[in-house]
Amino acid sequence: MEQPCLFGADYSVYVRIARLALIEKGVEHQRVPIDIFAEGGPPASYLERHPFGRIPAFEHGDFRLYETAAITRYVDEAFEGPRLQPVAPRQRARMNQIVSIADGYLYPHLVWGIYVERVSKPAEGIAADEERIATSLSKAAIGLAALSDLMEDTQWLCSPDLTLADLYVAPMFDYFLMAPEGREMIEHHPKLASWWSRIAARPSVEMTDFSKLEEPGA
Ligand SMILES: N[C@@H](CCC(=O)N[C@@H](CS)C(=O)NCC(=O)O)C(=O)O
C-alpha cells in the first residue's frame, strides 16, 4: 500500500496533531502544503477533499478522510507502531475526554482568544482585543485546572504511555505558552508544567515546532 498523504500547513494546530500521530507511529508519509488562510482561500480543488474548508485532510490509497479525530485514530489503528490509544476502557474514556476538552474548550481560548490576540495580531500591528483575552483567560484557567485534576500520577496526561490526549494538548499549549499570561498560568499547575517539559522535549514535538516559523498562524 502506498504512503499516506497529509494536506495542510505546518502552522496549523490540527495538522500538527495529525503529523505527531504519524511521526509517533513511525509512518512514512507525504505532505502537501495547503494554506487555509491564503488570500482568496485554499485552492477550490481542496474543497473536494474537505467540504468545510479546514485543514488537515488525509489520503491513504483510495481512502480519503478529514477531521483530525478520525485521521489520528485511523493512523493509530491501520499502521504498525506504538499504540496511541489505551485499551483499558477507563483510560481510553479519559483519553477521549481530554481530546474532547482540547477540541471544545482549549483550542478556541488558548489559541484564538489568547495566542492570536496577544501575540499574533500585535506582531502584525493589529491591536489586541483585551476583552476577548480576558474572557479566554478565565476559560483557560478552568481548562488548565480541569486537565490538572484529570491527570493521573503518570508520565503522560492519562496513561503511562503517550496517547492522543498528549498529541492534542501539546500543540495548543505551544501557542498558549507564547503569551506571557500562558507562561504565568501554567506555573500554578506543577503537574502540567512538568508534563509540558517532558512533551516539549519529544523529538516529534521538536520536529514539528511551528514557533520557529517566521509567521506562525493557528
Ligand atoms: N474539526 C476540525 C478542525 C480543524 C481546524 O479547525 N483547522 C484549522 C487550522 S488549525 C482551520 O482549518 N481553520 C480554518 C478556518 O477556521 O477557516 C478537525 O478536527 O480537523
Side-chain angles (χ1 to χ4, degrees), residues 63-99:
F63 183 56
R64 286 184 172 192
L65 203 55
Y66 59 85
E67 286 304 294
T68 307
I71 296 168
T72 49
R73 285 161 175 81
Y74 175 78
V75 166
D76 188 33
E77 289 159 17
F79 296 92
E80 300 293 324
R83 199 189 283 280
L84 298 175
Q85 300 172 90
V87 174
R90 290 185 182 191
Q91 266 185 2
R92 199 174 180 106
R94 189 66 79 213
M95 180 202 77
N96 286 327
Q97 182 185 19
I98 293 174
V99 165

Short mmCIF file of all heavy atoms in Angstrom, two decimals, residues 63-99:
data_model
loop_
_atom_site.label_atom_id
_atom_site.label_comp_id
_atom_site.label_asym_id
_atom_site.label_seq_id
_atom_site.Cartn_x
_atom_site.Cartn_y
_atom_site.Cartn_z
N PHE A 63 -8.48 5.86 -0.11
CA PHE A 63 -9.29 6.23 1.07
C PHE A 63 -9.00 7.67 1.47
O PHE A 63 -7.86 8.02 1.78
CB PHE A 63 -8.93 5.28 2.21
CG PHE A 63 -9.73 5.49 3.47
CD1 PHE A 63 -11.13 5.45 3.45
CD2 PHE A 63 -9.10 5.72 4.68
CE1 PHE A 63 -11.86 5.64 4.62
CE2 PHE A 63 -9.82 5.92 5.85
CZ PHE A 63 -11.21 5.87 5.82
N ARG A 64 -10.03 8.49 1.43
CA ARG A 64 -9.88 9.90 1.82
C ARG A 64 -10.59 10.16 3.13
O ARG A 64 -11.67 9.60 3.37
CB ARG A 64 -10.50 10.80 0.75
CG ARG A 64 -9.67 10.89 -0.51
CD ARG A 64 -10.31 11.87 -1.46
NE ARG A 64 -9.45 12.13 -2.60
CZ ARG A 64 -9.66 13.11 -3.47
NH1 ARG A 64 -10.70 13.92 -3.33
NH2 ARG A 64 -8.83 13.30 -4.47
N LEU A 65 -10.00 11.05 3.93
CA LEU A 65 -10.54 11.30 5.27
C LEU A 65 -10.29 12.75 5.65
O LEU A 65 -9.28 13.32 5.26
CB LEU A 65 -9.78 10.37 6.22
CG LEU A 65 -10.35 9.95 7.56
CD1 LEU A 65 -11.72 9.31 7.43
CD2 LEU A 65 -9.38 8.97 8.25
N TYR A 66 -11.21 13.34 6.38
CA TYR A 66 -10.92 14.60 7.05
C TYR A 66 -11.50 14.54 8.43
O TYR A 66 -12.30 13.66 8.73
CB TYR A 66 -11.43 15.82 6.25
CG TYR A 66 -12.92 15.87 5.98
CD1 TYR A 66 -13.81 16.38 6.91
CD2 TYR A 66 -13.43 15.38 4.77
CE1 TYR A 66 -15.16 16.43 6.65
CE2 TYR A 66 -14.78 15.42 4.51
CZ TYR A 66 -15.66 15.95 5.45
OH TYR A 66 -17.00 15.99 5.20
N GLU A 67 -11.12 15.45 9.29
CA GLU A 67 -11.38 15.52 10.74
C GLU A 67 -10.24 14.79 11.47
O GLU A 67 -10.03 13.58 11.32
CB GLU A 67 -12.74 14.95 11.15
CG GLU A 67 -13.92 15.86 10.80
CD GLU A 67 -13.79 17.26 11.40
OE1 GLU A 67 -13.82 17.40 12.63
OE2 GLU A 67 -13.64 18.22 10.64
N THR A 68 -9.54 15.58 12.26
CA THR A 68 -8.34 15.09 12.94
C THR A 68 -8.62 13.89 13.84
O THR A 68 -7.80 12.98 13.95
CB THR A 68 -7.70 16.25 13.72
OG1 THR A 68 -7.52 17.34 12.81
CG2 THR A 68 -6.36 15.87 14.31
N ALA A 69 -9.80 13.90 14.48
CA ALA A 69 -10.13 12.77 15.36
C ALA A 69 -10.16 11.47 14.56
O ALA A 69 -9.67 10.42 15.00
CB ALA A 69 -11.48 13.01 16.03
N ALA A 70 -10.75 11.53 13.35
CA ALA A 70 -10.84 10.33 12.51
C ALA A 70 -9.45 9.97 11.95
O ALA A 70 -9.08 8.79 11.92
CB ALA A 70 -11.83 10.58 11.38
N ILE A 71 -8.71 10.99 11.54
CA ILE A 71 -7.39 10.73 10.93
C ILE A 71 -6.45 10.09 11.96
O ILE A 71 -5.80 9.07 11.68
CB ILE A 71 -6.77 12.05 10.40
CG1 ILE A 71 -7.62 12.62 9.26
CG2 ILE A 71 -5.32 11.83 9.94
CD1 ILE A 71 -7.27 14.07 8.87
N THR A 72 -6.39 10.65 13.16
CA THR A 72 -5.42 10.14 14.14
C THR A 72 -5.78 8.72 14.58
O THR A 72 -4.91 7.88 14.79
CB THR A 72 -5.32 11.06 15.37
OG1 THR A 72 -6.64 11.35 15.85
CG2 THR A 72 -4.62 12.36 15.03
N ARG A 73 -7.08 8.46 14.70
CA ARG A 73 -7.48 7.10 15.11
C ARG A 73 -7.22 6.10 13.99
O ARG A 73 -6.81 4.97 14.23
CB ARG A 73 -8.94 7.09 15.56
CG ARG A 73 -9.09 7.71 16.95
CD ARG A 73 -10.52 8.14 17.23
NE ARG A 73 -10.72 8.64 18.57
CZ ARG A 73 -10.42 9.88 19.00
NH1 ARG A 73 -9.87 10.74 18.16
NH2 ARG A 73 -10.65 10.25 20.24
N TYR A 74 -7.45 6.53 12.74
CA TYR A 74 -7.14 5.66 11.62
C TYR A 74 -5.64 5.36 11.59
O TYR A 74 -5.22 4.20 11.45
CB TYR A 74 -7.59 6.30 10.30
CG TYR A 74 -7.20 5.51 9.08
CD1 TYR A 74 -7.92 4.37 8.70
CD2 TYR A 74 -6.08 5.85 8.32
CE1 TYR A 74 -7.54 3.62 7.59
CE2 TYR A 74 -5.69 5.11 7.21
CZ TYR A 74 -6.43 4.00 6.85
OH TYR A 74 -6.05 3.25 5.76
N VAL A 75 -4.84 6.40 11.73
CA VAL A 75 -3.37 6.21 11.72
C VAL A 75 -2.98 5.23 12.82
O VAL A 75 -2.17 4.33 12.62
CB VAL A 75 -2.65 7.57 11.89
CG1 VAL A 75 -1.17 7.39 12.21
CG2 VAL A 75 -2.82 8.43 10.63
N ASP A 76 -3.58 5.39 13.99
CA ASP A 76 -3.22 4.50 15.10
C ASP A 76 -3.61 3.06 14.81
O ASP A 76 -2.88 2.13 15.15
CB ASP A 76 -3.89 4.98 16.39
CG ASP A 76 -3.38 4.21 17.60
OD1 ASP A 76 -2.18 3.84 17.58
OD2 ASP A 76 -4.14 3.98 18.55
N GLU A 77 -4.78 2.87 14.18
CA GLU A 77 -5.32 1.51 14.05
C GLU A 77 -4.89 0.82 12.76
O GLU A 77 -4.87 -0.41 12.70
CB GLU A 77 -6.85 1.56 14.17
CG GLU A 77 -7.25 1.86 15.62
CD GLU A 77 -8.66 2.43 15.79
OE1 GLU A 77 -9.47 2.29 14.84
OE2 GLU A 77 -8.93 3.02 16.85
N ALA A 78 -4.56 1.59 11.72
CA ALA A 78 -4.26 0.97 10.42
C ALA A 78 -2.77 0.67 10.23
O ALA A 78 -2.42 -0.01 9.28
CB ALA A 78 -4.75 1.87 9.29
N PHE A 79 -1.93 1.21 11.10
CA PHE A 79 -0.49 1.04 10.92
C PHE A 79 0.15 0.38 12.13
O PHE A 79 -0.35 0.49 13.24
CB PHE A 79 0.18 2.40 10.66
CG PHE A 79 -0.28 3.07 9.39
CD1 PHE A 79 -1.35 3.94 9.41
CD2 PHE A 79 0.35 2.78 8.18
CE1 PHE A 79 -1.79 4.56 8.23
CE2 PHE A 79 -0.09 3.40 7.00
CZ PHE A 79 -1.16 4.28 7.04
N GLU A 80 1.28 -0.29 11.84
CA GLU A 80 2.10 -0.84 12.93
C GLU A 80 2.66 0.33 13.73
O GLU A 80 2.65 1.46 13.27
CB GLU A 80 3.28 -1.61 12.34
CG GLU A 80 2.92 -2.79 11.45
CD GLU A 80 2.27 -3.90 12.25
OE1 GLU A 80 2.68 -4.10 13.42
OE2 GLU A 80 1.35 -4.55 11.72
N GLY A 81 3.21 0.01 14.89
CA GLY A 81 3.86 1.07 15.67
C GLY A 81 3.24 1.15 17.04
O GLY A 81 2.24 0.48 17.32
N PRO A 82 3.82 1.97 17.92
CA PRO A 82 3.31 2.03 19.29
C PRO A 82 1.86 2.49 19.32
O PRO A 82 1.47 3.39 18.59
CB PRO A 82 4.22 3.07 19.96
CG PRO A 82 5.05 3.67 18.90
CD PRO A 82 4.96 2.84 17.67
N ARG A 83 1.08 1.84 20.16
CA ARG A 83 -0.34 2.15 20.30
C ARG A 83 -0.52 3.55 20.90
O ARG A 83 0.13 3.87 21.90
CB ARG A 83 -0.93 1.11 21.26
CG ARG A 83 -2.38 0.92 21.25
CD ARG A 83 -2.75 0.02 22.42
NE ARG A 83 -2.45 -1.39 22.17
CZ ARG A 83 -3.22 -2.20 21.46
NH1 ARG A 83 -4.33 -1.76 20.92
NH2 ARG A 83 -2.90 -3.46 21.31
N LEU A 84 -1.40 4.35 20.29
CA LEU A 84 -1.62 5.71 20.79
C LEU A 84 -2.95 5.85 21.53
O LEU A 84 -3.33 6.97 21.91
CB LEU A 84 -1.57 6.71 19.63
CG LEU A 84 -0.24 6.79 18.87
CD1 LEU A 84 -0.35 7.72 17.67
CD2 LEU A 84 0.89 7.25 19.80
N GLN A 85 -3.66 4.70 21.70
CA GLN A 85 -4.92 4.74 22.44
C GLN A 85 -4.90 3.61 23.46
O GLN A 85 -4.65 2.46 23.09
CB GLN A 85 -6.11 4.53 21.50
CG GLN A 85 -6.22 5.58 20.41
CD GLN A 85 -7.31 5.22 19.40
OE1 GLN A 85 -8.45 5.61 19.57
NE2 GLN A 85 -6.95 4.48 18.37
N PRO A 86 -5.19 3.92 24.72
CA PRO A 86 -5.19 2.85 25.72
C PRO A 86 -6.27 1.81 25.40
O PRO A 86 -7.28 2.14 24.79
CB PRO A 86 -5.53 3.57 27.03
CG PRO A 86 -5.40 5.02 26.76
CD PRO A 86 -5.56 5.22 25.29
N VAL A 87 -6.03 0.58 25.86
CA VAL A 87 -7.01 -0.49 25.64
C VAL A 87 -8.03 -0.50 26.78
O VAL A 87 -9.22 -0.70 26.57
CB VAL A 87 -6.28 -1.85 25.55
CG1 VAL A 87 -7.28 -2.99 25.48
CG2 VAL A 87 -5.36 -1.86 24.34
N ALA A 88 -7.57 -0.25 27.99
CA ALA A 88 -8.46 -0.31 29.16
C ALA A 88 -9.57 0.75 29.01
O ALA A 88 -9.28 1.91 28.71
CB ALA A 88 -7.66 -0.05 30.43
N PRO A 89 -10.83 0.33 29.19
CA PRO A 89 -11.96 1.24 28.92
C PRO A 89 -11.88 2.56 29.68
O PRO A 89 -12.18 3.61 29.12
CB PRO A 89 -13.19 0.43 29.36
CG PRO A 89 -12.77 -0.99 29.28
CD PRO A 89 -11.28 -1.02 29.54
N ARG A 90 -11.46 2.54 30.93
CA ARG A 90 -11.44 3.80 31.69
C ARG A 90 -10.35 4.75 31.20
O ARG A 90 -10.57 5.95 31.10
CB ARG A 90 -11.30 3.52 33.19
CG ARG A 90 -12.56 2.90 33.74
CD ARG A 90 -12.53 2.72 35.23
NE ARG A 90 -13.76 2.07 35.65
CZ ARG A 90 -14.16 1.95 36.89
NH1 ARG A 90 -13.41 2.42 37.87
NH2 ARG A 90 -15.30 1.35 37.18
N GLN A 91 -9.19 4.16 30.91
CA GLN A 91 -8.10 5.02 30.40
C GLN A 91 -8.45 5.57 29.02
O GLN A 91 -8.16 6.71 28.69
CB GLN A 91 -6.81 4.21 30.29
CG GLN A 91 -5.94 4.33 31.51
CD GLN A 91 -4.61 3.61 31.33
OE1 GLN A 91 -4.32 3.05 30.29
NE2 GLN A 91 -3.81 3.64 32.38
N ARG A 92 -9.11 4.71 28.22
CA ARG A 92 -9.48 5.15 26.87
C ARG A 92 -10.55 6.25 26.96
O ARG A 92 -10.51 7.24 26.24
CB ARG A 92 -10.01 3.96 26.07
CG ARG A 92 -9.99 4.21 24.57
CD ARG A 92 -10.41 2.91 23.87
NE ARG A 92 -10.41 3.04 22.45
CZ ARG A 92 -9.49 2.52 21.65
NH1 ARG A 92 -8.47 1.86 22.13
NH2 ARG A 92 -9.61 2.65 20.35
N ALA A 93 -11.48 6.06 27.88
CA ALA A 93 -12.51 7.10 28.07
C ALA A 93 -11.86 8.40 28.53
O ALA A 93 -12.24 9.49 28.09
CB ALA A 93 -13.54 6.62 29.09
N ARG A 94 -10.89 8.30 29.41
CA ARG A 94 -10.21 9.51 29.90
C ARG A 94 -9.48 10.21 28.74
O ARG A 94 -9.54 11.43 28.62
CB ARG A 94 -9.21 9.12 31.00
CG ARG A 94 -8.61 10.30 31.70
CD ARG A 94 -9.63 11.09 32.53
NE ARG A 94 -9.93 10.46 33.78
CZ ARG A 94 -11.12 10.51 34.38
NH1 ARG A 94 -12.13 11.16 33.83
NH2 ARG A 94 -11.32 9.91 35.54
N MET A 95 -8.84 9.39 27.90
CA MET A 95 -8.16 9.99 26.74
C MET A 95 -9.18 10.71 25.85
O MET A 95 -8.97 11.87 25.45
CB MET A 95 -7.46 8.90 25.92
CG MET A 95 -6.75 9.45 24.70
SD MET A 95 -6.48 8.21 23.42
CE MET A 95 -8.12 8.11 22.71
N ASN A 96 -10.30 10.05 25.58
CA ASN A 96 -11.32 10.68 24.72
C ASN A 96 -11.88 11.94 25.37
O ASN A 96 -12.18 12.92 24.69
CB ASN A 96 -12.45 9.69 24.42
CG ASN A 96 -12.01 8.63 23.41
OD1 ASN A 96 -11.19 8.92 22.52
ND2 ASN A 96 -12.51 7.42 23.55
N GLN A 97 -12.00 11.90 26.70
CA GLN A 97 -12.49 13.09 27.42
C GLN A 97 -11.52 14.26 27.24
O GLN A 97 -11.93 15.39 26.95
CB GLN A 97 -12.65 12.75 28.91
CG GLN A 97 -13.19 13.89 29.73
CD GLN A 97 -13.23 13.55 31.22
OE1 GLN A 97 -12.53 12.63 31.69
NE2 GLN A 97 -14.03 14.28 31.98
N ILE A 98 -10.23 13.98 27.38
CA ILE A 98 -9.24 15.07 27.26
C ILE A 98 -9.19 15.60 25.82
O ILE A 98 -9.11 16.81 25.60
CB ILE A 98 -7.85 14.59 27.76
CG1 ILE A 98 -7.92 14.33 29.27
CG2 ILE A 98 -6.76 15.63 27.44
CD1 ILE A 98 -6.67 13.73 29.89
N VAL A 99 -9.31 14.69 24.84
CA VAL A 99 -9.33 15.13 23.44
C VAL A 99 -10.52 16.05 23.21
O VAL A 99 -10.43 17.11 22.57
CB VAL A 99 -9.37 13.91 22.49
CG1 VAL A 99 -9.74 14.34 21.07
CG2 VAL A 99 -8.01 13.19 22.49
#
